[in-house]
Amino acid sequence: EAQVTQNPRYLITVTGKKLTVTCSQNMNHEYMSWYRQDPGLGLRQIYYSMNVEVTDKGDVPEGYKVSRKEKRNFPLILESPSPNQTSLYFCASSFAVGQGGYEQYFGPGTRLTVT
Amino acid sequence: EDKVVQSPLSLVVHEGDTVTLNCSYEVTNFRSLLWYKQEKKAPTFLFMLTSSGIEKKSGRLSSILDKKELFSILNITATQTGDSAVYLCAVAGRSAGGTSYGKLTFGQGTILTVHP
């Protein structure tokens, strides 16, 4: 089954404790992206990756890191989480954007709470 | 800074009504405009629009883009309770100093509620 998986689905952590949210897709998609969703603010893009080893900032990259060492995986790293990073996070993937591929498939979301 | 504004922010209608959702944008290096539907889970893709004046249709949903006036509309005819969702508009462009068109800016969304 074609899907985007995220782990964990729910996480409660404390300020400053490094964490990684994993994202994996099995559709051989070139493009992957991370978003956060907050009430009243809609979806905001954190980082995106056009392909392996190619990443770029979205609108809200501060406090986050990403890497794309393999095509299927795009982990999101919070080196020192703070309470303002409490949010619902989505990972998404699609075929190459250059070919107009914005039909993104979204993962189920990770609800993160930082206390 | 890229900006996408949707209106109205919320809308309540009855089954059978027709609704029009609006999306206006200010984006440098525009590539395309996208519509997504989000129920109580992850967003799902509806349409991608790249050319002005060409209507995209899928069943009771249709959308059109005006690149001169920088807006798009999403129409839903004969609404059903299953259309109740948040409708998200996003614009794809190029990040500042970037060379690729992977940057997506979303609007706040329109919450549509359809009563029986």
Side-chain angles (χ1 to χ4, degrees), chain A residues 54-81:
Chain A
V54 182
T55 62
D56 209 345
K57 295 177 181 178
D59 283 322
V60 288
E62 296 78 19
Y64 304 94
K65 282 176 58 177
V66 293
S67 67
R68 186 94 181 271
K69 293 184 169 56
E70 305 166 282
K71 199 171 186 180
R72 63 183 294 129
N73 296 322
F74 190 43
L76 179 70
I77 303 156
L78 285 73
E79 295 267 3
S80 184

PDB file of all heavy atoms in Angstrom, chain A residues 54-81:
ATOM      1  N   VAL A  54      19.396  17.183  -1.271  1.00  0.00           N
ATOM      2  CA  VAL A  54      18.965  18.519  -1.692  1.00  0.00           C
ATOM      3  C   VAL A  54      17.827  18.980  -0.795  1.00  0.00           C
ATOM      4  O   VAL A  54      16.703  18.462  -0.880  1.00  0.00           O
ATOM      5  CB  VAL A  54      18.499  18.534  -3.166  1.00  0.00           C
ATOM      6  CG1 VAL A  54      18.105  19.963  -3.561  1.00  0.00           C
ATOM      7  CG2 VAL A  54      19.580  18.003  -4.081  1.00  0.00           C
ATOM      8  N   THR A  55      18.115  19.910   0.107  1.00  0.00           N
ATOM      9  CA  THR A  55      17.089  20.413   1.011  1.00  0.00           C
ATOM     10  C   THR A  55      17.076  21.934   0.972  1.00  0.00           C
ATOM     11  O   THR A  55      18.084  22.563   0.631  1.00  0.00           O
ATOM     12  CB  THR A  55      17.310  19.945   2.458  1.00  0.00           C
ATOM     13  OG1 THR A  55      18.565  20.463   2.935  1.00  0.00           O
ATOM     14  CG2 THR A  55      17.326  18.429   2.552  1.00  0.00           C
ATOM     15  N   ASP A  56      15.938  22.517   1.353  1.00  0.00           N
ATOM     16  CA  ASP A  56      15.829  23.975   1.351  1.00  0.00           C
ATOM     17  C   ASP A  56      14.807  24.397   2.391  1.00  0.00           C
ATOM     18  O   ASP A  56      13.941  23.605   2.800  1.00  0.00           O
ATOM     19  CB  ASP A  56      15.427  24.488  -0.030  1.00  0.00           C
ATOM     20  CG  ASP A  56      15.958  25.890  -0.302  1.00  0.00           C
ATOM     21  OD1 ASP A  56      16.387  26.577   0.665  1.00  0.00           O
ATOM     22  OD2 ASP A  56      15.945  26.318  -1.462  1.00  0.00           O
ATOM     23  N   LYS A  57      14.926  25.646   2.806  1.00  0.00           N
ATOM     24  CA  LYS A  57      14.068  26.154   3.865  1.00  0.00           C
ATOM     25  C   LYS A  57      12.682  26.519   3.338  1.00  0.00           C
ATOM     26  O   LYS A  57      12.543  27.049   2.233  1.00  0.00           O
ATOM     27  CB  LYS A  57      14.701  27.406   4.481  1.00  0.00           C
ATOM     28  CG  LYS A  57      16.011  27.155   5.182  1.00  0.00           C
ATOM     29  CD  LYS A  57      16.616  28.463   5.692  1.00  0.00           C
ATOM     30  CE  LYS A  57      17.950  28.216   6.367  1.00  0.00           C
ATOM     31  NZ  LYS A  57      18.572  29.479   6.820  1.00  0.00           N
ATOM     32  N   GLY A  58      11.701  26.257   4.202  1.00  0.00           N
ATOM     33  CA  GLY A  58      10.367  26.757   3.937  1.00  0.00           C
ATOM     34  C   GLY A  58      10.169  28.075   4.661  1.00  0.00           C
ATOM     35  O   GLY A  58      11.123  28.848   4.826  1.00  0.00           O
ATOM     36  N   ASP A  59       8.974  28.310   5.151  1.00  0.00           N
ATOM     37  CA  ASP A  59       8.681  29.590   5.806  1.00  0.00           C
ATOM     38  C   ASP A  59       9.085  29.646   7.270  1.00  0.00           C
ATOM     39  O   ASP A  59       9.315  30.729   7.801  1.00  0.00           O
ATOM     40  CB  ASP A  59       7.173  29.882   5.698  1.00  0.00           C
ATOM     41  CG  ASP A  59       6.781  30.376   4.319  1.00  0.00           C
ATOM     42  OD1 ASP A  59       7.581  31.141   3.739  1.00  0.00           O
ATOM     43  OD2 ASP A  59       5.707  30.000   3.827  1.00  0.00           O
ATOM     44  N   VAL A  60       9.160  28.509   7.939  1.00  0.00           N
ATOM     45  CA  VAL A  60       9.436  28.525   9.382  1.00  0.00           C
ATOM     46  C   VAL A  60      10.521  27.505   9.746  1.00  0.00           C
ATOM     47  O   VAL A  60      10.287  26.578  10.519  1.00  0.00           O
ATOM     48  CB  VAL A  60       8.150  28.286  10.204  1.00  0.00           C
ATOM     49  CG1 VAL A  60       7.242  29.493  10.143  1.00  0.00           C
ATOM     50  CG2 VAL A  60       7.413  27.023   9.727  1.00  0.00           C
ATOM     51  N   PRO A  61      11.749  27.657   9.267  1.00  0.00           N
ATOM     52  CA  PRO A  61      12.780  26.641   9.505  1.00  0.00           C
ATOM     53  C   PRO A  61      13.510  26.762  10.853  1.00  0.00           C
ATOM     54  O   PRO A  61      14.209  25.831  11.252  1.00  0.00           O
ATOM     55  CB  PRO A  61      13.772  26.904   8.371  1.00  0.00           C
ATOM     56  CG  PRO A  61      13.657  28.384   8.141  1.00  0.00           C
ATOM     57  CD  PRO A  61      12.200  28.718   8.387  1.00  0.00           C
ATOM     58  N   GLU A  62      13.328  27.893  11.548  1.00  0.00           N
ATOM     59  CA  GLU A  62      14.119  28.132  12.756  1.00  0.00           C
ATOM     60  C   GLU A  62      13.817  27.072  13.813  1.00  0.00           C
ATOM     61  O   GLU A  62      12.664  26.802  14.139  1.00  0.00           O
ATOM     62  CB  GLU A  62      13.822  29.530  13.316  1.00  0.00           C
ATOM     63  CG  GLU A  62      14.213  30.685  12.414  1.00  0.00           C
ATOM     64  CD  GLU A  62      13.219  30.919  11.290  1.00  0.00           C
ATOM     65  OE1 GLU A  62      12.064  30.437  11.401  1.00  0.00           O
ATOM     66  OE2 GLU A  62      13.610  31.561  10.300  1.00  0.00           O
ATOM     67  N   GLY A  63      14.855  26.497  14.377  1.00  0.00           N
ATOM     68  CA  GLY A  63      14.714  25.512  15.431  1.00  0.00           C
ATOM     69  C   GLY A  63      14.600  24.078  14.937  1.00  0.00           C
ATOM     70  O   GLY A  63      14.457  23.160  15.732  1.00  0.00           O
ATOM     71  N   TYR A  64      14.663  23.896  13.618  1.00  0.00           N
ATOM     72  CA  TYR A  64      14.534  22.566  13.020  1.00  0.00           C
ATOM     73  C   TYR A  64      15.734  22.270  12.122  1.00  0.00           C
ATOM     74  O   TYR A  64      16.354  23.165  11.571  1.00  0.00           O
ATOM     75  CB  TYR A  64      13.261  22.474  12.174  1.00  0.00           C
ATOM     76  CG  TYR A  64      11.992  22.813  12.895  1.00  0.00           C
ATOM     77  CD1 TYR A  64      11.479  24.114  12.848  1.00  0.00           C
ATOM     78  CD2 TYR A  64      11.302  21.861  13.627  1.00  0.00           C
ATOM     79  CE1 TYR A  64      10.308  24.448  13.509  1.00  0.00           C
ATOM     80  CE2 TYR A  64      10.128  22.183  14.288  1.00  0.00           C
ATOM     81  CZ  TYR A  64       9.641  23.479  14.228  1.00  0.00           C
ATOM     82  OH  TYR A  64       8.476  23.801  14.886  1.00  0.00           O
ATOM     83  N   LYS A  65      16.006  20.970  11.990  1.00  0.00           N
ATOM     84  CA  LYS A  65      16.990  20.498  11.026  1.00  0.00           C
ATOM     85  C   LYS A  65      16.398  19.318  10.282  1.00  0.00           C
ATOM     86  O   LYS A  65      15.536  18.604  10.817  1.00  0.00           O
ATOM     87  CB  LYS A  65      18.274  20.049  11.735  1.00  0.00           C
ATOM     88  CG  LYS A  65      19.175  21.168  12.182  1.00  0.00           C
ATOM     89  CD  LYS A  65      20.374  20.632  12.960  1.00  0.00           C
ATOM     90  CE  LYS A  65      21.195  19.646  12.193  1.00  0.00           C
ATOM     91  NZ  LYS A  65      22.400  19.204  12.952  1.00  0.00           N
ATOM     92  N   VAL A  66      16.887  19.106   9.067  1.00  0.00           N
ATOM     93  CA  VAL A  66      16.461  17.949   8.291  1.00  0.00           C
ATOM     94  C   VAL A  66      17.677  17.367   7.586  1.00  0.00           C
ATOM     95  O   VAL A  66      18.719  18.016   7.476  1.00  0.00           O
ATOM     96  CB  VAL A  66      15.392  18.296   7.229  1.00  0.00           C
ATOM     97  CG1 VAL A  66      14.081  18.709   7.877  1.00  0.00           C
ATOM     98  CG2 VAL A  66      15.896  19.389   6.283  1.00  0.00           C
ATOM     99  N   SER A  67      17.497  16.145   7.116  1.00  0.00           N
ATOM    100  CA  SER A  67      18.510  15.542   6.262  1.00  0.00           C
ATOM    101  C   SER A  67      17.798  14.619   5.286  1.00  0.00           C
ATOM    102  O   SER A  67      16.712  14.117   5.568  1.00  0.00           O
ATOM    103  CB  SER A  67      19.542  14.770   7.078  1.00  0.00           C
ATOM    104  OG  SER A  67      18.944  13.634   7.682  1.00  0.00           O
ATOM    105  N   ARG A  68      18.426  14.413   4.143  1.00  0.00           N
ATOM    106  CA  ARG A  68      17.842  13.497   3.136  1.00  0.00           C
ATOM    107  C   ARG A  68      18.991  12.659   2.573  1.00  0.00           C
ATOM    108  O   ARG A  68      19.549  12.931   1.525  1.00  0.00           O
ATOM    109  CB  ARG A  68      17.156  14.299   2.026  1.00  0.00           C
ATOM    110  CG  ARG A  68      16.403  13.421   1.040  1.00  0.00           C
ATOM    111  CD  ARG A  68      14.968  13.269   1.371  1.00  0.00           C
ATOM    112  NE  ARG A  68      14.252  12.412   0.455  1.00  0.00           N
ATOM    113  CZ  ARG A  68      13.647  12.841  -0.663  1.00  0.00           C
ATOM    114  NH1 ARG A  68      13.744  14.119  -1.003  1.00  0.00           N
ATOM    115  NH2 ARG A  68      12.993  12.000  -1.417  1.00  0.00           N
ATOM    116  N   LYS A  69      19.295  11.618   3.307  1.00  0.00           N
ATOM    117  CA  LYS A  69      20.397  10.737   2.902  1.00  0.00           C
ATOM    118  C   LYS A  69      19.912   9.604   1.999  1.00  0.00           C
ATOM    119  O   LYS A  69      20.686   9.031   1.232  1.00  0.00           O
ATOM    120  CB  LYS A  69      21.100  10.180   4.129  1.00  0.00           C
ATOM    121  CG  LYS A  69      21.832  11.234   4.942  1.00  0.00           C
ATOM    122  CD  LYS A  69      22.601  10.614   6.092  1.00  0.00           C
ATOM    123  CE  LYS A  69      23.549  11.587   6.756  1.00  0.00           C
ATOM    124  NZ  LYS A  69      22.885  12.805   7.238  1.00  0.00           N
ATOM    125  N   GLU A  70      18.644   9.275   2.147  1.00  0.00           N
ATOM    126  CA  GLU A  70      18.048   8.238   1.302  1.00  0.00           C
ATOM    127  C   GLU A  70      16.766   8.816   0.728  1.00  0.00           C
ATOM    128  O   GLU A  70      16.133   9.671   1.351  1.00  0.00           O
ATOM    129  CB  GLU A  70      17.676   7.006   2.119  1.00  0.00           C
ATOM    130  CG  GLU A  70      18.775   6.391   2.917  1.00  0.00           C
ATOM    131  CD  GLU A  70      18.199   5.403   3.920  1.00  0.00           C
ATOM    132  OE1 GLU A  70      17.672   5.855   4.955  1.00  0.00           O
ATOM    133  OE2 GLU A  70      18.234   4.195   3.650  1.00  0.00           O
ATOM    134  N   LYS A  71      16.369   8.303  -0.415  1.00  0.00           N
ATOM    135  CA  LYS A  71      15.202   8.847  -1.080  1.00  0.00           C
ATOM    136  C   LYS A  71      13.931   8.668  -0.253  1.00  0.00           C
ATOM    137  O   LYS A  71      13.050   9.517  -0.250  1.00  0.00           O
ATOM    138  CB  LYS A  71      15.023   8.159  -2.435  1.00  0.00           C
ATOM    139  CG  LYS A  71      14.149   8.918  -3.414  1.00  0.00           C
ATOM    140  CD  LYS A  71      14.229   8.273  -4.771  1.00  0.00           C
ATOM    141  CE  LYS A  71      13.485   9.097  -5.797  1.00  0.00           C
ATOM    142  NZ  LYS A  71      13.555   8.483  -7.145  1.00  0.00           N
ATOM    143  N   ARG A  72      13.807   7.560   0.439  1.00  0.00           N
ATOM    144  CA  ARG A  72      12.558   7.263   1.116  1.00  0.00           C
ATOM    145  C   ARG A  72      12.408   7.953   2.473  1.00  0.00           C
ATOM    146  O   ARG A  72      11.308   8.045   2.985  1.00  0.00           O
ATOM    147  CB  ARG A  72      12.411   5.755   1.281  1.00  0.00           C
ATOM    148  CG  ARG A  72      13.456   5.084   2.142  1.00  0.00           C
ATOM    149  CD  ARG A  72      13.254   3.582   2.180  1.00  0.00           C
ATOM    150  NE  ARG A  72      12.011   3.249   2.846  1.00  0.00           N
ATOM    151  CZ  ARG A  72      11.091   2.445   2.328  1.00  0.00           C
ATOM    152  NH1 ARG A  72      11.278   1.888   1.143  1.00  0.00           N
ATOM    153  NH2 ARG A  72       9.992   2.170   2.975  1.00  0.00           N
ATOM    154  N   ASN A  73      13.480   8.430   3.068  1.00  0.00           N
ATOM    155  CA  ASN A  73      13.413   8.960   4.437  1.00  0.00           C
ATOM    156  C   ASN A  73      13.743  10.445   4.508  1.00  0.00           C
ATOM    157  O   ASN A  73      14.671  10.923   3.834  1.00  0.00           O
ATOM    158  CB  ASN A  73      14.391   8.203   5.341  1.00  0.00           C
ATOM    159  CG  ASN A  73      14.012   6.742   5.468  1.00  0.00           C
ATOM    160  OD1 ASN A  73      12.844   6.404   5.532  1.00  0.00           O
ATOM    161  ND2 ASN A  73      15.020   5.877   5.507  1.00  0.00           N
ATOM    162  N   PHE A  74      13.014  11.137   5.385  1.00  0.00           N
ATOM    163  CA  PHE A  74      13.229  12.578   5.541  1.00  0.00           C
ATOM    164  C   PHE A  74      12.945  12.937   6.999  1.00  0.00           C
ATOM    165  O   PHE A  74      11.881  13.458   7.331  1.00  0.00           O
ATOM    166  CB  PHE A  74      12.305  13.331   4.583  1.00  0.00           C
ATOM    167  CG  PHE A  74      12.586  14.798   4.461  1.00  0.00           C
ATOM    168  CD1 PHE A  74      13.879  15.288   4.357  1.00  0.00           C
ATOM    169  CD2 PHE A  74      11.540  15.717   4.417  1.00  0.00           C
ATOM    170  CE1 PHE A  74      14.131  16.640   4.211  1.00  0.00           C
ATOM    171  CE2 PHE A  74      11.772  17.076   4.274  1.00  0.00           C
ATOM    172  CZ  PHE A  74      13.074  17.531   4.180  1.00  0.00           C
ATOM    173  N   PRO A  75      13.885  12.673   7.896  1.00  0.00           N
ATOM    174  CA  PRO A  75      13.632  12.925   9.317  1.00  0.00           C
ATOM    175  C   PRO A  75      13.679  14.407   9.664  1.00  0.00           C
ATOM    176  O   PRO A  75      14.428  15.183   9.068  1.00  0.00           O
ATOM    177  CB  PRO A  75      14.779  12.166  10.004  1.00  0.00           C
ATOM    178  CG  PRO A  75      15.869  12.108   8.974  1.00  0.00           C
ATOM    179  CD  PRO A  75      15.179  12.020   7.643  1.00  0.00           C
ATOM    180  N   LEU A  76      12.884  14.772  10.649  1.00  0.00           N
ATOM    181  CA  LEU A  76      12.855  16.140  11.182  1.00  0.00           C
ATOM    182  C   LEU A  76      13.478  16.114  12.575  1.00  0.00           C
ATOM    183  O   LEU A  76      13.051  15.331  13.425  1.00  0.00           O
ATOM    184  CB  LEU A  76      11.412  16.639  11.267  1.00  0.00           C
ATOM    185  CG  LEU A  76      11.205  18.044  11.820  1.00  0.00           C
ATOM    186  CD1 LEU A  76      11.726  19.094  10.828  1.00  0.00           C
ATOM    187  CD2 LEU A  76       9.729  18.303  12.127  1.00  0.00           C
ATOM    188  N   ILE A  77      14.463  16.957  12.770  1.00  0.00           N
ATOM    189  CA  ILE A  77      15.219  16.967  14.022  1.00  0.00           C
ATOM    190  C   ILE A  77      14.983  18.266  14.759  1.00  0.00           C
ATOM    191  O   ILE A  77      15.109  19.357  14.167  1.00  0.00           O
ATOM    192  CB  ILE A  77      16.723  16.790  13.740  1.00  0.00           C
ATOM    193  CG1 ILE A  77      16.952  15.485  12.971  1.00  0.00           C
ATOM    194  CG2 ILE A  77      17.523  16.804  15.041  1.00  0.00           C
ATOM    195  CD1 ILE A  77      18.224  15.473  12.162  1.00  0.00           C
ATOM    196  N   LEU A  78      14.636  18.156  16.035  1.00  0.00           N
ATOM    197  CA  LEU A  78      14.544  19.321  16.908  1.00  0.00           C
ATOM    198  C   LEU A  78      15.689  19.184  17.908  1.00  0.00           C
ATOM    199  O   LEU A  78      15.643  18.354  18.815  1.00  0.00           O
ATOM    200  CB  LEU A  78      13.194  19.376  17.616  1.00  0.00           C
ATOM    201  CG  LEU A  78      11.992  19.815  16.769  1.00  0.00           C
ATOM    202  CD1 LEU A  78      11.558  18.730  15.780  1.00  0.00           C
ATOM    203  CD2 LEU A  78      10.829  20.204  17.672  1.00  0.00           C
ATOM    204  N   GLU A  79      16.726  19.983  17.723  1.00  0.00           N
ATOM    205  CA  GLU A  79      17.932  19.851  18.551  1.00  0.00           C
ATOM    206  C   GLU A  79      17.671  20.260  19.998  1.00  0.00           C
ATOM    207  O   GLU A  79      18.142  19.630  20.929  1.00  0.00           O
ATOM    208  CB  GLU A  79      19.054  20.728  17.977  1.00  0.00           C
ATOM    209  CG  GLU A  79      19.544  20.315  16.608  1.00  0.00           C
ATOM    210  CD  GLU A  79      20.732  19.370  16.681  1.00  0.00           C
ATOM    211  OE1 GLU A  79      21.142  18.995  17.803  1.00  0.00           O
ATOM    212  OE2 GLU A  79      21.262  18.993  15.619  1.00  0.00           O
ATOM    213  N   SER A  80      16.897  21.312  20.182  1.00  0.00           N
ATOM    214  CA  SER A  80      16.591  21.797  21.526  1.00  0.00           C
ATOM    215  C   SER A  80      15.156  22.323  21.534  1.00  0.00           C
ATOM    216  O   SER A  80      14.924  23.534  21.434  1.00  0.00           O
ATOM    217  CB  SER A  80      17.579  22.906  21.926  1.00  0.00           C
ATOM    218  OG  SER A  80      17.344  23.323  23.251  1.00  0.00           O
ATOM    219  N   PRO A  81      14.210  21.414  21.646  1.00  0.00           N
ATOM    220  CA  PRO A  81      12.801  21.816  21.523  1.00  0.00           C
ATOM    221  C   PRO A  81      12.396  22.853  22.567  1.00  0.00           C
ATOM    222  O   PRO A  81      12.868  22.826  23.710  1.00  0.00           O
ATOM    223  CB  PRO A  81      12.049  20.500  21.738  1.00  0.00           C
ATOM    224  CG  PRO A  81      13.037  19.427  21.476  1.00  0.00           C
ATOM    225  CD  PRO A  81      14.367  19.975  21.879  1.00  0.00           C
TER     226      PRO A  81
END
